[in-house]
Amino acid sequence: MNLQSGWYAILSSREVTPEPREVRRFGLDLVAWRTRVGTAVIQANRCAHRSAKLSLGTIKKDCIKCPYHLSDGHIAPSSVGHPRVGQTFPG
């Protein structure tokens, strides 16, 4: 799918919670959650190492932990930028 750069509604604000949530939009598998301070995070729903679904993992210290090998840090939640997969934006 060829999407132009821009803002797209993926979930309503109330649907993004502190627990990882699996989302499929625009042909992409995504995972969304909210940090301790309420920032909404969305990124690809797969571990870069073994392609496990991150939505099956847990959130620790505002980072998602892979359910397969329990590593964390798949995202730097303090970085604020454009709403692209793997970046955060105000919720």
Side-chain angles (χ1 to χ4, degrees), residues 17-90:
T17 70
E19 296 300 315
R21 179 183 175 141
E22 183 176 19
V23 181
R24 182 155 178 86
R25 297 289 188 275
F26 309 115
L28 301 172
D29 292 317
L30 307 168
V31 59
W33 76 92
R34 213 171 269 289
T35 66
R36 291 173 284 182
V37 296
T39 303
V41 180
I42 193 160
Q43 71 175 77
N45 188 20
R46 69 173 191 83
C47 170
H49 178 237
R50 301 290 275 180
S51 294
K53 282 188 172 187
L54 293 175
S55 58
L56 300 175
T58 57
I59 306 300
K60 299 289 182 197
K61 297 182 182 175
D62 290 344
C63 290
I64 195 160
K65 284 187 154 298
C66 173
Y68 180 76
H69 62 287
L70 301 177
S71 70
D72 58 352
H74 291 282
I75 184 170
S78 61
S79 64
V80 176
H82 299 290
R84 291 189 241 159
V85 173
Q87 291 184 325
T88 63
F89 51 97

